[in-house]
């Protein structure tokens, strides 16, 4: 992470300081999804049932991204500006990116509807190109959020406050999406990271994932990628630029 901007004289509370690295795993899951979904749309047959399934799954991913951004809008930006005024310029950039992403997500709906209705090459290509545009903007946004915003969260939010953000985040996902993101997060981790992560996961969630969540994740991944992506370790992190 980059070093946060100076605080302009504000002093964090005594209990400030948290570990927001879990946000990186969510970001990588979205990176992975928006990288593979265009190929999934292009590679899906014109079978009515299959297209309807892919469209529904893409809509749920879009909804999850929208929920993620709405949550940040409501729980992060005002607090960051109040606690670290020098961060305002970066918060404003985040708000601008969120508005642009929201516009693209909204305009994806008629394109997905058209593909579901016509199931031809032209409508599939239009939907796929639009998902690529969302992914490109999202990559720019996530990179800047990780560089400029996460260090400020780390310094100004308490662990209790950050846990509250995480609890609120979980409320916006459909059950199938919870297993999809759980699987993506697990697959993005190193063995050591995974061991630490699983110690924090409730036993009930781990049991449900073993019983049927893992199969749900695998089906969703196959559906969204038209079979071009497989479960297993991946790296969604963009390569560091050469010095």
């Amino acid at each position: 992470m980059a070093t946060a901007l100076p605080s302009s004289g504000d002093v964090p509370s005594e209990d400030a300081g948290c570990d927001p690295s879990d946000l990186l795993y969510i970001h990588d899951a979205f990176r992975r999804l928006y990288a593979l979904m265009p190929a999934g749309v292009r590679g899906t047959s014109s079978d009515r049932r299959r297209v309807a399934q892919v469209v529904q799954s893409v809509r749920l991913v879009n909804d999850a991204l929208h929920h993620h951004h709405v949550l940040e809008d409501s729980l992060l930006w005002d607090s960051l500006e109040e606690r670290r005024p020098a961060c305002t310029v970066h918060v404003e950039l985040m708000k601008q990116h969120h508005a642009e992403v929201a516009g693209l997500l909204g305009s994806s709906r008629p394109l997905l509807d058209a593909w579901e209705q016509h199931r031809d090459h032209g409508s599939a290509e239009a939907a796929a190109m639009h998902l690529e545009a969302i992914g490109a903007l999202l990559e720019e946004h996530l990179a800047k959020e990780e560089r400029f915003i996460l260090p400020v969260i780390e310094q100004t939010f308490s662990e209790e406050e950050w846990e509250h953000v995480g609890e609120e985040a979980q409320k916006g996902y459909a059950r199938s999406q919870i297993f999809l993101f759980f699987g993506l997060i697990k697959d993005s981790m190193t063995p050591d990271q995974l061991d630490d992560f699983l110690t924090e996961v409730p036993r009930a969630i781990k049991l449900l994932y073993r019983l049927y969540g893992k199969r749900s994740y695998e089906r969703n991944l196959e559906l969204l990628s038209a079979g071009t992506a497989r479960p297993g370790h991946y790296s969604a992190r963009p390569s560091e630029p050469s010095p």
Side-chain angles (χ1 to χ4, degrees):
M1 291 185 185
T3 302
L5 286 172
S7 63
S8 298
D10 57 315
V11 179
S13 62
E14 291 183 1
D15 62 348
C18 69
D19 178 7
S21 60
D22 51 344
L23 193 58
L24 295 172
Y25 300 126
I26 298 295
H27 284 183
D28 283 351
F30 280 122
R31 285 184 171 104
R32 172 92 160 139
L33 289 167
Y34 282 93
L36 62 82
M37 287 193 300
V41 171
R42 292 185 175 107
T44 297
S45 72
S46 60
D47 175 75
R48 181 185 299 273
R49 181 171 177 271
R50 184 72 169 182
V51 170
Q53 290 175 328
V54 176
V55 166
Q56 176 63 13
S57 292
V58 171
R59 285 177 179 144
L60 286 172
V61 172
N62 285 347
D63 288 347
L65 177 59
H66 180 67
H67 167 71
H68 176 73
H69 282 176
V70 168
L71 188 79
E72 290 181 331
D73 291 340
S74 62
L75 296 182
L76 297 186
W77 306 145
D78 288 349
S79 294
L80 289 174
E81 287 183 309
E82 178 182 345
R83 300 173 189 188
R84 190 60 57 87
C87 190
T88 296
V89 63
H90 295 137
V91 168
E92 290 303 315
L93 179 61
M94 296 298 101
K95 292 178 180 178
Q96 176 188 329
H97 283 169
H98 281 193
E100 293 172 0
V101 171
L104 287 175
L105 291 174
S107 56
S108 73
R109 294 168 190 157
L111 294 173
L112 291 169
D113 289 344
W115 179 42
E116 185 173 11
Q117 178 180 357
H118 300 296
R119 304 185 309 283
D120 59 3
H121 173 76
S123 58
E125 184 62 21
M129 290 179 64
H130 197 78
L131 290 171
E132 287 175 335
I134 296 173
L137 176 56
L138 187 63
E139 179 51 55
E140 177 186 356
H141 167 66
L142 296 179
K144 285 185 167 60
E145 183 174 312
E146 290 164 4
R147 181 179 179 187
F148 297 119
I149 299 296
L150 258 67
V152 185
I153 294 173
E154 183 177 17
Q155 294 174 11
T156 62
F157 273 65
S158 68
E159 278 294 344
E160 183 178 0
E161 288 174 318
W162 190 245
E163 287 175 6
H164 172 68
V165 173
E167 290 166 0
E168 291 299 310
Q170 295 175 28
K171 296 178 181 178
Y173 296 100
R175 175 172 289 187
S176 64
Q177 297 298 289
I178 290 175
F179 291 133
L180 173 63
F181 279 85
F182 188 81
L184 288 168
I185 288 169
K186 285 176 76 273
D187 281 353
S188 73
M189 292 178 168
T190 66
D192 288 343
Q193 289 171 333
L194 183 57
D195 287 343
D196 291 341
F197 170 69
L198 290 177
T199 63
E200 302 295 327
V201 177
R203 179 179 296 182
I205 297 297
K206 289 186 281 191
L207 177 61
L208 289 174
Y209 188 76
R210 285 198 300 270
L211 290 175
Y212 60 85
K214 185 173 184 290
R215 290 193 298 274
S216 174
Y217 164 52
E218 292 169 349
R219 285 195 301 269
N220 258 303
L221 192 63
E222 193 277 334
L223 190 68
L224 288 167
S225 70
T228 61
R230 295 286 186 272
H233 181 71
Y234 69 91
S235 175
R237 199 127 291 275
S239 57
E240 293 293 331
S242 301

